[in-house]
Each structure stands twice: as C-alpha cells, then as structure tokens.
Amino acid sequence: MKSRTQVAIVGAGPAGLTLALLLHQAGIESIVLESRSRSYVENRVRAGVLEHGTVELLCSMGAGERLRREGLKHGGIALRFDGKDHRIDFEDLTSGKSVTVYGQQEVVKDLITALSSAGVPIAFEAPAIALGDLDGEHVTVRYRDAGGAEHTIEAGYIAGCDGFHGICRDAIPPGALTVYEHGYPFGWLGILAQSPPVSEELIYTNHERGFALVSMRSPTITRLYLQCPAGEELAAWPDDRFWTELRLRLDSDCGGPDVVTGPILQKGITPMRGFVAEPMRHGRLFLAGDAAHIVPPTGAKGMNLAIADVRVLARAFEAHYFKNDSSGLDSYSDTCLRRVWNTQRFSSWMTRMLHRFDGHAPFERRVQLAELRYVASSRPASQTLAENYVGLPFA
Ligand code: APR
Ligand code: PHB
C-alpha cells in the first residue's frame, strides 16, 4: 500500500519526535516511522540534562508542562579534584541561565503524548528498510509494519532521525559523505539506582583512578557513571564492585554526604566517541541528531544537539512550504555543522580535562590538573565552561 506525506520522519527519538511536533504546529504533515515499540522508546534510559534553550523550546511547543513540574533545575555543577569540590555557578556566570535534569525518555514520553493528541501518525515497530529516489521529485521510504507487511511512503522530503545505527546515513552514496571520527580509549559504565543522589548538583570528578559522575533523576533515583576501559564487559562490574569503585573515586574525604547504595535498576556501558558525517543533506534527505553526529557524553550535549538540528530543519521546511523560500533547506547542513563542531570542541575539551588517560605521562597529568585549577579559579575560564554547558544561543 502506498501513502503520501510532506515529510517522512525516520526514528522516534528526541530528534524525530521534536521535528514531527514542530512541523505539525507549522501546518506541515509528517509520518513518523520507528523500528521499536512505544514502550521500548519510552523506557530507554539515556542522558538527562537539558540546556536552557532546549527547555524553552519544549515549553514553547506545549510539551513542557511535566518538564516544568518534575524537571530538576540546576544552577551549577561541581568539579571535584584535588580532594575538594569547585562549584561552577551557571546562574552567576551566564546572567541567570540554568540546565534542567530530566531523563531523555521523559522528553520522549511527553512528545509522544503531544503528538498523539494532535493526531500526528507514529508507526511503532515499523522499521524503514529502504529509501528511494533521493534526488528525484518524490522520495520514497519502504517500511515493514508490525505484522510484517511492507509498505511504501511517498514524501516530499525525508528526515533521517534514526540515530547512529539507523539506515538513513547509509542511504547516501559513500562518495557524497565525509566522515570525521575520534575514538577514546575508555567508555562510561552507567547505572540508575534507587537511592538518594549523593549531592543536589552534578559532580564531575577527576580522580587518579578515573572519572566519575554523580547525577540524578529525582530525589530518590540517582544516575551514576564510572570511566571504564573501552570494550569492557558488563559482567566485569557486579554491583558491589561498582559501589566500591565509586566510593574510592568520589573520595569521601572531599566532604558532603557519603554514597548511599540501593537497588540497581539499570546498568549499561556507553562507548565514547566523536563522530560527524558531512554534509547533513543529500538531495531530499536531511540527517538530524545521532544519525549525523555523536559527541562524547561528558558535556551532556547529545540530546540538545539533536533538538537544535530539528529546530533549524523545521524552520527551513516552514519557509519552503509557506514562503516558497528554500534558502533555509540549502543552508541547513552548514548552519547545523557550525553548532555541531562547536559542541564537538566543548565535549572533547570536557572529556580530555576530566578523564584518566592511561597513556598520559606525568607531565600531561600535571597539565590536566593545572587546567582544572585554572577553570575553577578564573572567572573567564569558568564562564567559558558555563556558557557552553547551559547552551549557546540557537543559530
Ligand atoms: N527505522 C525506523 N526507526 C529506526 C530505524 C529504522 N530503520 N533505525 C533506528 N531507528 C530508531 C531507533 O529505534 C531510535 O528510536 O531511530 C531512533 C533514533 O533515536 P535516538 O538514537 O535517540 O537519536 P536522536 O533522536 O538523534 O537523539 C539523540 O539520543 O542517542 C541519544 O545520546 C543521544 O541524547 C542523544 C539523542
Ligand atoms: C545524566 O544524568 O545521565 C548525565 C549527566 C551529565 C552528563 C551526562 C549524562 O554529562
């Protein structure tokens, strides 16, 4: 069976869902295809820090009511090194801006609720399997429905919001895409635990034994990460080992409350890499979010960057469909890549500053500590961290 739409959106992560809602509000039709089930995407545990501008955007779209109520507003973070905490006060350093801790899956739930009540179609358990005619008048997306039947959507454009492992980026002829990649020799072992957070604010710890991050989802749920070697198996980290290592890295002599353990609800390993595919457009296919780029999670930018892309894309479609002005579509890739590369810069800087590098000579370790001391003690240096962390203004 064939159906038609203005924009076929592949992927119901933060990028695809935000785009669908922005397009709906602009009066542009779309269909969202998602290979997983609704409950899978609504429960997938990922990062959870929203930039100031991401919160404003979600609220302005009418998808921020629960976010305003349940999200935890944070006016700063701590950098823990040299045996103590050094607070970076975002509100003071950025004229009142903050970030909000709110799980990515909660953003996904809110967007799906808003789209469902607006009647925007989302097909779950419906993987896109092939894209066709990317340079033609009408592109096509072939997909398989939950019952196994195949269908084709004919669309004006395709938005490839299908994450790093999706099919959209691979639909671009290899010669048309340049890939830039950087791997790190470590990953993050992350847990979600039913225990009160160690601190009210996030703590980014640089310790001799490796990086540790204290985050949270609510007053009773904590989110914790430990640097681990690249390629580490989860089986190497029974719960006891996690808690013991966390305590060592957080170094309770630093002051503040000690770690309270609790049942671990989820455990996973995130590889650390930087990745950018350029350009983010090929013919009538536009890539957005993780389909086009990955940043290491140290700057908490992945979801924010995905949402920043589709904000640009939605405006470009609006100008195209209602003002007959395609300049926004033509400049989409360049506009997004400016933010993408700045975010790569920030995330790579935070990653290099905070992790333990096994290959580091004592000289490099001392330079790393000097950098942390400088960032913590100089107002312009703290401000650099703060303005990037809360999010630079949108393009
Ligand atoms: N057909 C349909 N859907 C697909 C396909 C396919 N062939 N392949 C993948 N998908 C879906 C995935 O199941 C996922 O739900 O695309 C969605 C992509 O969502 P995300 O991976 O969340 O990517 P994005 O929306 O770009 O958001 C980026 O997510 O990965 C995190 O840390 C990252 O926070 C960042 C954010
Ligand atoms: C999280 O809470 O999951 C989180 C917080 C900060 C980061 C990355 C992840 O830098």
Side-chain angles (χ1 to χ4, degrees), residues 81-103:
F81 62 93
D82 279 348
K84 57 177 187 293
D85 283 343
H86 308 259
R87 184 165 191 264
I88 307 290
D89 185 336
F90 297 155
E91 286 175 327
D92 172 44
L93 293 161
T94 66
S95 314
K97 289 190 180 153
S98 57
V99 293
T100 298
V101 175
Y102 190 66

Side-chain angles (χ1 to χ4, degrees), residues 10-16 33-36 40-41 44 46-47 104 126-129 161-167 288-291 294 301-304 306:
V10 185
L33 297 175
E34 166 57 52
S35 55
R36 303 287 195 157
Y40 183 91
V41 298
R44 180 168 44 192
R46 292 254 184 87
Q104 178 169 316
I129 49 181
C161 303
D162 52 348
F164 186 65
H165 300 287
I167 63 154
D290 277 16
I294 299 280
K301 291 292 171 213
M303 168 168 45
N304 294 294

Side-chain angles (χ1 to χ4, degrees), residues 45-49 77 101-103 188 192 202 204 211 213-217 223-225 296-301 350 389:
V45 178
R46 292 254 184 87
V49 177
I77 55 167
V101 175
Y102 190 66
W188 278 13
L192 194 68
L202 273 66
Y204 286 82
F211 170 79
L213 171 60
V214 169
S215 181
M216 69 289 297
R217 289 293 178 270
R223 179 89 171 131
L224 299 160
Y225 298 94
T298 326
K301 291 292 171 213
M350 290 283 280
Y389 199 99

